[in-house]
Amino acid sequence: MSSSSDFQQDRHSFSGSPQKWTDFELPGDTLYYRFTSDMSNTEWGYKFTVTAGHLGRFQTGFEILKQMLSEERVIPHLPLTKIWEWQVGVACRQTGHQRLKAIHLLLKTVQCSSQGDCDFTLLKPLWQLFTHMENNSCQDTAKPGILLPLHRALAELFFVTENRVTELGSLQEYLLALNTEDHLHRCTAQ
């Protein structure tokens, strides 16, 4: 079982009796599995149960952190640098609603950050995802003006972040860090 169709990410392999199986978690909202038999046994196979969104894990952490980032008197006591790093990692690894929630927390963190709290260059993988989505939406003329929730969330994140780094006086460094040299050459040529 894996969280990727090529079975390279978050891979879990089991063989033999049910006692050898253990509970595990996969990030995201999709599970890929492959069942292979060596025909050495005449049993019926395996049965497993998939449970989505364990309450008390991601959702609880999200709600607590969202509330803490909403309390102005609490913010000075939070390790915003670490929270930023964790949430960027979560937004890069997760998919679906969990990615959207991580981006929501990134937005809240940007809005309450001060100089040096957030390493904005960590957003590069999300920037690449966003630019890929932008390029695809420009090419899709069948549905003009319709953006997916992830596309909208990333657009807002980068809009707010750009305004924040402009206020902090580090816009040029931020833009250079997010873009590849090839992309900068293409933009200059345009």
Side-chain angles (χ1 to χ4, degrees), residues 1-3 9-14 22-26:
M1 295 179 211
S2 175
S3 62
Q9 296 176 352
D10 307 303
R11 184 180 175 155
H12 297 270
S13 296
F14 300 97
T22 58
D23 287 350
F24 62 93
E25 292 183 36
L26 290 177

Side-chain angles (χ1 to χ4, degrees), residues 1-13 24-28 30-33 92-95 99:
M1 295 179 211
S2 175
S3 62
S4 65
S5 60
D6 62 0
F7 294 90
Q8 298 300 310
Q9 296 176 352
D10 307 303
R11 184 180 175 155
H12 297 270
S13 296
F24 62 93
E25 292 183 36
L26 290 177
T30 305
L31 163 76
Y32 296 90
Y33 69 94
C92 290
R93 284 189 311 274
Q94 295 293 342
T95 59
R99 176 178 273 169

Side-chain angles (χ1 to χ4, degrees), residues 3-189:
S3 62
S4 65
S5 60
D6 62 0
F7 294 90
Q8 298 300 310
Q9 296 176 352
D10 307 303
R11 184 180 175 155
H12 297 270
S13 296
F14 300 97
S15 179
S17 68
Q19 289 75 26
K20 292 183 180 180
W21 287 58
T22 58
D23 287 350
F24 62 93
E25 292 183 36
L26 290 177
D29 58 5
T30 305
L31 163 76
Y32 296 90
Y33 69 94
R34 183 180 301 145
F35 177 80
T36 307
S37 174
D38 63 4
M39 307 295 261
S40 65
N41 207 328
T42 59
E43 301 294 325
W44 62 271
Y46 286 99
K47 176 182 175 182
F48 57 91
T49 304
V50 177
T51 306
H54 288 284
L55 187 61
R57 295 193 179 142
F58 186 92
Q59 184 63 30
T60 301
F62 168 77
E63 292 297 336
I64 291 169
L65 194 50
K66 181 176 79 170
Q67 186 62 40
M68 291 173 72
L69 289 169
S70 299
E71 298 286 334
E72 285 187 38
R73 59 185 165 77
V74 174
I75 291 171
H77 305 287
L78 295 175
L80 289 180
T81 302
K82 281 291 181 200
I83 290 171
W84 177 259
E85 291 171 9
W86 293 332
Q87 289 308 308
V88 170
V90 169
C92 290
R93 284 189 311 274
Q94 295 293 342
T95 59
H97 292 295
Q98 290 180 341
R99 176 178 273 169
L100 289 173
K101 288 178 179 184
I103 291 170
H104 176 79
L105 292 176
L106 287 172
L107 271 166
K108 290 184 96 37
T109 306
V110 166
Q111 291 165 337
C112 63
S113 69
S114 59
Q115 186 77 33
D117 283 339
C118 303
D119 179 358
F120 296 114
T121 63
L122 295 176
L123 292 174
K124 188 169 188 166
L126 294 175
W127 176 253
Q128 291 169 339
L129 174 63
F130 175 69
T131 55
H132 176 74
M133 294 177 95
E134 282 284 294
N135 292 337
N136 286 347
S137 72
C138 291
Q139 294 170 2
D140 187 6
T141 56
K143 299 175 188 174
I146 297 175
L147 296 181
L148 298 172
L150 175 60
H151 194 163
R152 285 195 319 268
L154 288 171
E156 184 178 4
L157 173 64
F158 287 110
F159 178 75
V160 170
T161 301
E162 186 176 320
N163 286 336
R164 190 70 182 124
V165 295
T166 300
E167 291 170 7
L168 297 172
S170 55
L171 179 62
Q172 185 175 356
E173 295 84 6
Y174 166 71
L175 293 175
L176 286 172
L178 290 187
N179 290 291
T180 63
E181 192 172 321
D182 182 52
H183 178 74
L184 294 174
H185 285 295
R186 280 195 316 269
C187 289
T188 304

